[in-house]
Amino acid sequence: MNTLIDKPSSISNRVAVVNRSSPYKGCSAQDSLDLVIAMSNFGQEVSVFFVGDGVFQLITAQNPVAIQRKHFTKGFAALHFYDIENLYVCAKSLNDRNIDSDKLSVQVIPLQTDEFYAVLAKHQHVVTF
C-alpha cells in the first residue's frame, strides 16, 4: 500500500546554508562555500544566508594573505555560474557591525530579522556553519 505524505505547502524542497562564522576563524566558512557549490553541482536548489559574524565573509576589502590564508571569499562572485541566485543577509547583522552594503563583494538581498528567519523557514533543509 502506497501512502503519500503531504508536506506543508509553505516549505519548499530547498536547502539553506547559513553562514554565522567570520571568514578566517577556522575553516567552516570555506567549507560552507564548498558545500554550496557541491550541492549545486548535484542539482540541489540552494540558498545562502549570512547572519552574525558571517556577514564579514561578504566584505570586499580582505587580505587573508597577511594571515597566510587563501582568499576563498572571491568564490562568492562565481555562485551565479552555479545558478545560485538566492543570497540573503541579515540587515541587522550588517548594521550591528557598521558594514555598509556598498562594501560587500556580491549582491545580496538584505532582510530585516523577522523577514530573514521567515525566508529561512521556507527551506526544507538547513545547514549551519
Side-chain angles (χ1 to χ4, degrees), residues 12-103:
S12 67
N13 191 19
R14 295 187 295 164
V15 178
V17 176
V18 181
N19 293 286
R20 293 181 176 274
S21 301
S22 59
Y24 302 104
K25 179 183 177 186
C27 60
S28 64
Q30 183 169 357
D31 290 346
S32 167
L33 180 61
D34 293 343
L35 177 67
V36 167
I37 292 170
M39 286 192 304
S40 174
N41 284 335
F42 285 99
Q44 297 294 315
E45 186 177 342
V46 182
S47 298
V48 185
F49 293 79
F50 298 90
V51 64
D53 286 345
V55 299
F56 288 120
Q57 295 178 30
L58 299 170
I59 295 176
T60 301
Q62 296 185 31
N63 185 13
V65 176
I67 58 171
Q68 300 179 350
R69 298 290 299 266
K70 180 181 172 186
H71 200 320
F72 74 91
T73 58
K74 289 183 178 182
F76 290 127
L79 291 179
H80 69 278
F81 292 118
Y82 296 93
D83 295 325
I84 300 169
E85 304 291 332
N86 298 323
L87 303 173
Y88 302 101
V89 65
C90 178
K92 183 178 182 324
S93 294
L94 288 176
N95 188 47
D96 288 350
R97 288 155 182 81
N98 296 319
I99 300 172
D100 294 325
S101 59
D102 61 338
K103 303 276 191 242

Side-chain angles (χ1 to χ4, degrees), residues 5 8 25-26 54 65-66 73 105 111 113:
I5 299 173
K25 179 183 177 186
V65 176
T73 58
S105 61
L111 300 172
T113 305

